[in-house]
Amino acid sequence: MVFARFPLASTNGRSVISVQRERPRPCRSRHVDEQIAGMRKLYKQLGWDFDELGLIVPERVKGFDRLIVMADTELTFDRAFDVCSHSFPCWRHRSCDKNRKHSTKDERHPKSGVYAIWVRDSIETDSDLRGLSADDIKRDGSIRTMTALERVVLEGIFFMETGGHLDRECVTYCTGSRYKDRGVPGARQDNEKFIIYWRDRSSKFPTLGPRRVIAV
């Protein structure tokens, strides 16, 4: 894992993610209020709104220790990805480009109201879900998984806290989001670059898997 030596500064007036000088305690040792404060810090440095009005935090489940708060109703995938691209090397497939009419349908989105989710505090995807296709997840009906926007925000908070990146060996299959043409967003690291691209809904292989979420 790579750690930044000093916080990043604003670049040409663009908001960037500043890496903390000291790594915080593991998420399993942090209380809810402490994790919300960390999310608020990220939002503040990026100039995003953080409105806790109506926020309901789901009950914490053993093994799910990372709290992600989606507290800006104007937050979009493009805004979140742009911040990442200004903060560290990023790339996204042209089908995911903001200039193409290729929007996703998301299981959850802050435009419908602020919310919070719990996810596993792990660098790689949930091992028990790897090898399942998006169609498998949908047929099961009982598994709630991360959206593309949530995955980008998770990348941001993890980078702020550690200077490192997620999905170094595996790919997060963002099955909580679906493209209109049956594609599903995927996120991973490749040669120190954060990549967003797409997979088919029927795709399945050992290193491709969703991240389960605990949501209200």
Side-chain angles (χ1 to χ4, degrees):
M1 184 179 295
V2 178
F3 294 90
R5 295 182 180 178
F6 47 82
L8 297 172
S10 177
T11 304
N12 295 326
R14 297 171 174 172
S15 297
V16 297
I17 301 170
S18 298
V19 181
Q20 298 178 174
R21 292 183 181 274
E22 296 184 9
R23 185 168 182 174
R25 295 181 299 158
C27 288
R28 65 177 180 274
S29 302
R30 285 186 257 166
H31 298 299
V32 171
D33 289 346
E34 188 176 352
Q35 295 209 47
I36 290 177
M39 293 296 305
R40 187 185 297 109
K41 181 177 180 179
L42 176 70
Y43 277 55
K44 182 178 181 180
Q45 68 174 253
L46 299 179
W48 296 349
D49 291 332
F50 195 92
D51 185 358
E52 296 180 60
L53 183 63
L55 177 65
I56 299 175
V57 177
E59 183 177 352
R60 194 168 188 167
V61 175
K62 184 178 180 180
F64 292 80
D65 296 311
R66 166 74 72 176
L67 185 67
I68 302 297
V69 182
M70 309 297 285
D72 184 343
T73 58
E74 300 299 319
L75 183 59
T76 64
F77 175 86
D78 289 330
R79 285 180 64 199
F81 186 85
D82 284 349
V83 164
C84 287
S85 66
H86 299 154
S87 305
F88 45 80
C90 294
W91 176 87
R92 60 178 172 179
H93 190 271
R94 63 181 180 276
S95 65
C96 312
D97 191 272
K98 60 186 175 183
N99 295 320
R100 295 173 66 90
K101 296 180 179 179
H102 214 60
S103 60
T104 62
K105 180 179 181 181
D106 303 301
E107 290 184 6
R108 296 165 302 282
H109 198 284
K111 67 183 178 183
S112 299
V114 300
Y115 67 91
I117 58 172
W118 291 102
V119 299
R120 297 187 190 278
D121 186 29
S122 59
I123 291 177
E124 305 299 341
T125 62
D126 293 20
S127 59
D128 62 320
L129 298 183
R130 293 174 201 161
L132 295 179
S133 70
D135 288 338
D136 291 334
I137 297 293
K138 185 175 182 178
R139 278 192 296 269
D140 180 279
S142 65
I143 305 172
R144 305 181 75 177
T145 57
M146 181 169 276
T147 68
L149 174 56
E150 292 164 355
R151 175 62 183 82
V152 175
V153 172
L154 174 61
E155 188 76 18
I157 187 69
F158 186 80
F159 180 75
M160 184 188 80
E161 292 183 352
T162 71
H165 298 283
L166 303 166
D167 288 313
R168 307 193 71 84
E169 302 294 335
C170 297
V171 179
T172 293
Y173 202 17
C174 301
T175 53
S177 299
R178 309 292 178 95
Y179 289 122
K180 293 179 178 179
D181 66 350
R182 290 182 50 82
V184 178
R188 65 185 176 94
Q189 286 294 309
D190 185 21
N191 294 322
E192 302 302 324
K193 183 178 292 186
F194 178 51
I195 291 177
I196 296 286
Y197 66 123
W198 67 273
R199 305 294 310 186
D200 189 80
R201 294 182 185 183
S202 62
S203 296
K204 56 173 70 179
F205 51 88
T207 57
L208 176 68
R211 290 178 184 263
R212 185 185 278 104
V213 305
I214 304 301
V216 174

